Amino acid sequence: MPTVTSLDVSAIRKEFPILAQQMHGKPLVYLDNAATSQKPKCVIEALTRFYLMDNANIHRGVHELSERATQSYEAARGKVQRFLNAAKEQEIIFVRGATEGINLVAQTYGRTHVGAGDEVVISALEHHSNIVPWQMLCEEKSAVLRVIPINDRGEVEFDQFEKLLNRRTKLVAVSHVSNALGTINPVRKIINTAHGWNVPVLIDGAQAVSHMRVDVRNLDCDFYVFSGHKVFGPTGIGVLYGKEKLLEGMPPWQGGGDMIRSVTFEKTIYNDLPYKFEAGTPNIAGVIGLGAAIDYLDHIGMDAISAYEDDLLEYGTRALENISGLRLIGTAREKAGVLSFVIDGVHPHDAGTILDLEGIAVRTGHHCAQPVMDRFGVSSTTRASLAFYNTREDIDALVAGIQKVKEVFTV
Ligand code: 7TS
């Protein structure tokens, strides 16, 4: 198998000081990127610089510091717009993360468009944060949640999706990439088909943006959400993209400062997009840090990252397939970033604990996707999840760690 050499991974790793550590006396092998990604120095420096030199509240001060903070904050909105290829900056709403973005859409668009007997369609691959907000909405409105089933590889059954759509369908919400299995969903096809019924589509991109170029105009999705911390940015910041026309028609979610144009006790006039949805002092430093992460990714190139990771995932898949007694959970033909597995006779939690002693960080559990676990008849898996700073050596260390796990459990 040829190695993709377009990324200088050893130079890249120097940008992530956290990786150059030992855990339990072993070099850290960080394979928990689906939970959260590590931050390059430039992101950490952007946060530090903001607090050292530029800290002020935004959109309100006449003084220079506030002006500077506002400019950096709004410049980051432009970076996100270009990163997603959105048509306008006003279509980028800063939120706390993917979870908050989905809840915002459920509580505004959902509450105004979904009524008794209407239907919301999700897939069987969803993270709890793309299930529970829709369940809450459906319960409140006496609407029905419909679920696209998945096959034994962990791929959505597209023909079943087509059958679920009808004139009561008011929204489709699906992940771009599954966090538990790594399946890349055929979102373009899903969006086209839903649009055939005039049904808008929300894409949960939490696990996609760090692995591939995302173009919301090309996808033609109506809403797209992601979290900054999974794309090498800070925690506590995320993005909701929405088509301007839809966002314009939605009521605000939270009320407070910055989201109004004028307030009297009789009537409040709401602010324009995007501020209508950004009540209160936002996570200014987080936004600026996210902007720095996007600059960094632009510099490396999402296409180079995708190609490198595809090769690494292929290498990892082959390596794990060759381990007897190990079963990969999630073998979709289109996958990104995730190797989820179970080992005969070993509880995933025990596997994770032994791997940790070898310096290998993985996640074990249901990955906030319990219905996926149920579908595969397991209560949990061990999940290794990749980023572009991972290497074949990391995979080799994982394989050696798994052998150790097996030794411990066969004695
Ligand atoms: N959607 C998907 C597909 C996710 O993987 C996650 C987090 C979320 C939404 C929620 O993101 P948040 O930043 O708002 O919490 N997934 C994981 C995971 O797989 N392990 O830890 C968090």
Side-chain angles (χ1 to χ4, degrees), residues 14-82:
K14 293 203 179 81
E15 298 300 315
F16 292 83
I18 201 169
L19 297 174
Q21 289 185 75
Q22 303 230 320
M23 294 288 147
H24 306 290
K26 306 273 170 62
L28 169 64
V29 175
Y30 188 76
L31 292 171
D32 196 16
N33 294 287
T36 200
S37 59
Q38 300 303 346
K39 324 302 172 201
K41 276 191 277 192
C42 58
V43 168
I44 300 164
E45 283 161 8
L47 294 173
T48 310
R49 196 166 48 244
F50 172 72
Y51 283 122
L52 278 176
M53 302 302 296
D54 299 335
N55 177 53
N57 212 329
I58 55 165
H59 298 150
R60 51 199 91 197
V62 290
H63 58 82
E64 186 175 340
L65 212 50
S66 171
E67 196 46 46
R68 214 193 286 161
T70 304
Q71 272 173 17
S72 304
Y73 181 88
E74 290 303 331
R77 198 188 304 277
K79 291 173 190 184
V80 175
Q81 178 212 339
R82 290 186 290 280

Side-chain angles (χ1 to χ4, degrees), residues 32-36 96-102 125-130 175-180 204-208 225-230 235-238 338 363 366-369 383 385:
D32 196 16
N33 294 287
T36 200
R96 268 197 306 139
T99 302
E100 191 171 72
I102 296 167
L125 279 172
E126 301 310 313
H127 184 277
H128 295 165
S129 64
N130 200 28
S175 50
H176 197 165
V177 174
S178 147
N179 72 313
D204 172 0
Q207 296 294 345
V225 300
F226 72 89
S227 297
H229 72 96
K230 292 190 201 284
T235 50
I237 189 65
V338 170
R363 183 172 171 188
H366 54 58
H367 315 294
C368 302
R383 180 187 69 181
S385 53

Side-chain angles (χ1 to χ4, degrees), residues 183-322:
T183 309
I184 303 176
N185 276 325
V187 284
R188 185 112 192 263
K189 233 165 94 182
I190 289 173
I191 293 161
N192 274 344
T193 308
H195 284 176
W197 288 87
N198 281 325
V199 174
V201 181
L202 176 143
I203 302 294
D204 172 0
Q207 296 294 345
V209 282
S210 61
H211 301 299
M212 61 189 71
R213 183 182 294 285
V214 172
D215 182 333
V216 291
R217 269 189 286 176
N218 183 262
L219 289 175
D220 199 24
C221 55
D222 301 277
F223 301 104
Y224 196 97
V225 300
F226 72 89
S227 297
H229 72 96
K230 292 190 201 284
V231 67
F232 316 104
T235 50
I237 189 65
V239 169
L240 162 66
Y241 157 82
K243 281 183 182 164
E244 185 181 28
K245 225 172 105 207
L246 289 173
L247 292 174
E248 290 280 13
M250 284 154 53
W253 184 30
Q254 295 177 328
D258 233 23
M259 54 75 74
I260 52 87
R261 194 174 301 146
S262 71
V263 178
T264 67
F265 289 119
E266 288 69 42
K267 188 163 176 57
T268 290
I269 312 283
Y270 302 128
N271 207 340
D272 296 330
L273 289 177
Y275 313 112
K276 182 171 89 175
F277 292 108
E278 293 181 2
T281 301
N283 183 354
I284 306 167
V287 166
I288 291 167
L290 175 59
I294 289 174
D295 283 343
Y296 180 70
L297 289 174
D298 279 349
H299 165 71
I300 294 178
M302 286 313 300
D303 295 334
I305 288 173
S306 286
Y308 176 78
E309 285 190 16
D310 283 351
D311 176 77
L312 198 58
L313 185 63
E314 175 83 7
Y315 180 79
T317 306
R318 294 286 93 81
L320 294 197
E321 274 171 354
N322 284 331

Side-chain angles (χ1 to χ4, degrees), residues 28 36 50 90 142 174 264 267 300 326 338 349 372 374 400 408:
L28 169 64
T36 200
F50 172 72
Q90 297 91 288
S142 300
V174 291
T264 67
K267 188 163 176 57
I300 294 178
L326 182 147
V338 170
H349 188 78
V372 176
D374 292 346
V408 170

Side-chain angles (χ1 to χ4, degrees), residues 125 150-156 178 180-184 313-314 316-318 320-321 326-336 338-342 372 375-376 381:
L125 279 172
I150 53 175
N151 64 22
D152 291 342
R153 281 192 288 258
E155 299 164 327
V156 293
S178 147
L181 308 181
T183 309
I184 303 176
L313 185 63
E314 175 83 7
T317 306
R318 294 286 93 81
L320 294 197
E321 274 171 354
L326 182 147
R327 175 161 70 107
L328 277 171
I329 307 288
T331 50
R333 284 158 288 194
E334 299 285 333
K335 272 185 74 171
V338 170
L339 292 159
S340 227
F341 59 88
V342 289
V372 176
R375 170 65 179 78
F376 284 90
T381 70

